Amino acid sequence: MKNLKKIIFSKYEEKFLKNNGKNTFYAGYWASDSIDLKNVNYLNCIWSSEKEKNHSYKFLKKKYDRYINILTNYFNRYHNVKYNKKYWEIICGMWLSTYLSTIYYRWRVVEKISSKNKIIINNYNFKNFFLTTNNSIDYYSNITRSDSFNNLVFFKIINYFIKYKKFKPILEKKKIYFKNNNYKKINLSRNYSFKTKIFEKVYGILDVIFRRKKNFIIVDGFNNKANIKLNLRAFQFPFPTSKYFNNELSLNSNFFNFKKREKNILKIKTIDDFEKFLERNIYYDIPKIFLENFLLNLNLVKSYKIKCKKVISGSFHFFNELFKIWLAQHTTHKDKSFVITCHGGNHSKFHGIFNYEDNISDQHITWVKSKKLNLPASKYLEVKKKRNKLDNLIFVINETNPYPAKWEDSPVCLDDLKLDVVLKKFNLLLNKKIKKKFFICPKYFYCPKFQKTIKRNLNDLKIKKSFSFTTELDNAKLVICDNPQTAFTDALRSGPTILVIKKNQWRPKDILKNNYKELEKNKVIFYSYDKAIKHINKNWDHINKWWLNHRTRKSVSNFLNSLNCNENSLNKWNSYLKK
């Protein structure tokens, strides 16, 4: 037993460790708070390899396209209906892409570990291996944050490998009764600002008084000012989104029905081991809102008296279950058209939701210019561009989840982010004078290991509050982003900003490649923190000399034009919505 390596798959298992964790190997950086980047006793992020990441994307996209068809047949059989693929993709597509990605990542971890010799794993007594949640948000929350849920996922896969793939680990003699009572519960209500909550209440009252058919409804994706003006120009009042599409209103009274789920499975010809595993599991892992509780929620949304021609969404089509069920019921019957307006600045060529948005919408209005239709980015309509005070150096970090989430062309694990190394570079290389003005601006700040990494390198005074970026942006002399998402575009529109990324991550759409080259040439994009910090040190005292340089301004302006983010007038949207 001395030469055996004990494998730990999640933080849930740490409490069963003996001998102070000696001869222990961790399945990932997430599996223990004691692991740091210097350790060699953990499996590196699988998708940090460009080859592995590219292969996984192609593999998962094929599986998504295949299983959306399989689940369409399954749902129709289960509910005794004949809805088309688009109907069911609107409802379950987001969950399916997340499920496939998260399960496949953990599958690859087990696959790599199963090739090792002389390993020992915990011996659990599981009541069942079902990953059933109430809805897709619950699944996402648990697969990214819950230690026990992830432990269940890993051993569900390990169980399959032992039965069907000749994996022969040594099991601990003592059996452990697995308790799954600490799954993550999250608040399903949308976190509206106080001002928006007041507006929503007013919209709700007006909705009762004025019941006539609207030309369009904006569910989300626009700021309050733009939303009100566009509706008033159409001689109608804004739509009270939270009155109808609040996840807290969804019904969840029916229990998991194993027999009915099993009875409606149609046997398919599997083409690989991963599909064989899926066929033994996916039908029991589907959230209850798509099966046992679907009819309850369908009847609820059928009672809604919402009359309109166009439905516009920025993000509600991702995780708002009531909206998706209502949307599927109306847009597939062609009495309403569905328009998606991009809710953020992610302009990567590859996405972990695959073609979900293109497949479910009648029109998908992206920020990146296209040959079909170009409208100003809805987020920036009538939004000011300039900062009030140029003072601080703000670092905006792409926070990863505690456990790997869906496939993205970005760091999906904290070790791939290499945050510890990055912050040490700032401490070591940044001029002392500038260091006093250096602050971190996190978005969520809920990952414990992410918090520990930052607090190990910076004191609390250097860490701004969660969701404070909009406020802090007003006081920023320079913003550093480690991702080209919404915050980068927000910052770029308003003043001096740089982006620092890896060459093999956040790869832009082909139409933006020349923009990226120009931004790199003019010191707006960097692929090295050393070079970025050198640039900051050199230009801090006369930041506008660099930023207002003709070539720099031109490269930034061209990029923002390519993203439809330079124009903030309502006129084009007003014309579009009148059609």
Side-chain angles (χ1 to χ4, degrees), residues 515-575:
N515 291 109
Y516 264 55
K517 286 177 183 176
E518 285 300 309
L519 290 171
E520 183 187 3
K521 195 185 295 182
N522 288 287
K523 312 293 185 188
V524 178
I525 290 181
F526 292 86
Y527 297 100
S528 157
Y529 274 98
D530 292 59
K531 290 180 180 178
I533 295 169
K534 187 179 178 181
H535 171 75
I536 296 166
N537 288 337
K538 181 182 175 183
N539 292 280
W540 182 257
D541 288 331
H542 41 268
I543 202 86
N544 281 334
K545 187 178 178 182
W546 154 70
W547 185 249
L548 298 179
N549 176 278
H550 173 71
R551 288 180 180 175
T552 307
R553 293 308 304 145
K554 188 178 179 182
S555 66
V556 170
S557 182
N558 287 343
F559 176 68
L560 291 174
N561 281 333
S562 295
L563 287 185
N564 289 311
C565 289
N566 246 349
E567 188 181 349
N568 66 357
S569 169
L570 292 173
N571 294 334
K572 287 185 179 179
W573 270 101
N574 192 50
S575 299

Side-chain angles (χ1 to χ4, degrees), residues 154-333:
F154 276 115
F155 277 86
K156 180 186 180 95
I157 297 167
I158 288 164
N159 184 59
Y160 179 88
F161 271 61
I162 291 172
K163 280 186 177 180
Y164 303 106
K165 286 177 70 68
K166 299 179 181 178
F167 178 34
K168 295 180 179 178
I170 294 168
L171 299 177
E172 289 277 14
K173 289 180 182 178
K174 187 179 178 182
K175 271 215 166 191
I176 301 166
Y177 177 72
F178 179 77
K179 295 180 181 178
N180 57 0
N181 57 359
N182 67 334
Y183 287 176
K184 297 290 180 184
K185 297 287 183 184
I186 61 170
N187 182 7
L188 298 180
S189 297
R190 194 172 176 91
N191 190 23
Y192 290 115
S193 67
F194 177 74
K195 188 190 289 186
T196 302
K197 286 177 182 176
I198 297 296
F199 283 137
E200 282 285 316
K201 284 187 178 181
V202 173
Y203 301 158
I205 294 168
L206 294 172
D207 183 61
V208 174
I209 300 169
F210 301 97
R211 284 281 183 174
R212 71 184 183 85
K213 187 173 183 178
K214 298 176 187 286
N215 191 37
F216 59 85
I217 61 168
I218 294 173
V219 178
D220 76 320
F222 293 75
N223 60 66
N224 287 322
K225 187 178 177 182
N227 187 13
I228 292 169
K229 283 191 173 183
L230 286 169
N231 275 280
L232 291 179
R233 286 185 184 186
F235 302 102
Q236 61 183 45
F237 293 109
F239 178 71
T241 301
S242 61
K243 177 182 175 180
Y244 297 100
F245 304 128
N246 182 339
N247 270 321
E248 293 286 358
L249 299 173
S250 60
L251 304 172
N252 188 43
S253 57
N254 290 331
F255 295 107
F256 177 84
N257 190 332
F258 176 84
K259 287 184 179 178
K260 189 173 181 182
R261 287 183 180 230
E262 186 176 48
K263 185 178 78 172
N264 287 288
I265 296 172
L266 291 166
K267 286 188 177 181
I268 66 161
K269 188 176 180 180
T270 54
I271 56 180
D272 53 41
D273 278 329
F274 187 62
E275 277 197 11
K276 288 175 184 174
F277 172 80
L278 288 176
E279 283 302 299
R280 286 175 171 84
N281 292 281
I282 192 170
Y283 306 105
Y284 308 107
D285 295 343
I286 295 169
K288 289 191 293 177
I289 199 163
F290 304 150
L291 295 174
E292 289 87 356
N293 292 307
F294 177 72
L295 287 178
L296 289 175
N297 288 285
L298 177 62
N299 288 331
L300 173 63
V301 299
K302 277 183 175 179
S303 71
Y304 292 170
K305 308 298 181 187
I306 302 171
K307 299 175 182 178
C308 64
K309 295 177 185 176
K310 271 186 188 137
V311 181
I312 301 157
S313 166
S315 62
F316 265 60
H317 54 283
F318 290 141
F319 288 113
N320 192 288
E321 311 292 15
L322 288 177
F323 173 66
K324 290 187 290 182
I325 294 170
W326 176 84
L327 185 69
Q329 193 66 20
H330 287 279
T331 58
T332 51
H333 292 162

Side-chain angles (χ1 to χ4, degrees), residues 1 79 172 233 261 318 361 371-372 383 430 494 529:
M1 299 284 282
H79 294 298
E172 289 277 14
R233 286 185 184 186
R261 287 183 180 230
F318 290 141
S361 61
K371 293 178 181 177
K372 294 179 182 177
V383 174
L430 203 61
S494 62
Y529 274 98

Side-chain angles (χ1 to χ4, degrees), residues 122-129 175-179:
N122 283 328
N123 187 3
Y124 291 101
N125 180 13
F126 289 99
K127 187 178 179 181
N128 63 62
F129 283 116
K175 271 215 166 191
I176 301 166
Y177 177 72
F178 179 77
K179 295 180 181 178

Side-chain angles (χ1 to χ4, degrees), residues 379-380 384-392 394 396 441 468-479 481 486-497:
K379 183 181 189 295
Y380 299 122
K384 69 167 188 169
K385 291 185 181 181
K386 290 185 179 180
R387 299 173 196 170
N388 291 330
K389 184 181 175 186
L390 302 180
D391 194 22
N392 295 331
I394 299 293
V396 183
C441 204
S468 64
F469 175 67
T470 304
T471 305
E472 296 303 329
L473 183 59
D474 267 353
N475 300 318
K477 185 173 184 177
L478 175 66
V479 176
C481 296
T486 313
F488 173 59
T489 317
D490 288 352
L492 207 61
R493 291 177 77 252
S494 62
T497 305

Side-chain angles (χ1 to χ4, degrees), residues 94-128:
M94 194 65 192
W95 170 81
L96 179 61
S97 65
T98 305
Y99 178 82
L100 292 174
S101 285
T102 50
I103 298 297
Y104 184 65
Y105 185 96
R106 288 148 184 78
W107 171 277
R108 290 291 292 129
V109 168
V110 175
E111 207 162 41
K112 283 183 179 290
I113 287 173
S114 67
S115 64
K116 295 180 181 292
N117 296 319
K118 296 182 179 180
I119 63 172
I120 185 168
I121 63 173
N122 283 328
N123 187 3
Y124 291 101
N125 180 13
F126 289 99
K127 187 178 179 181
N128 63 62

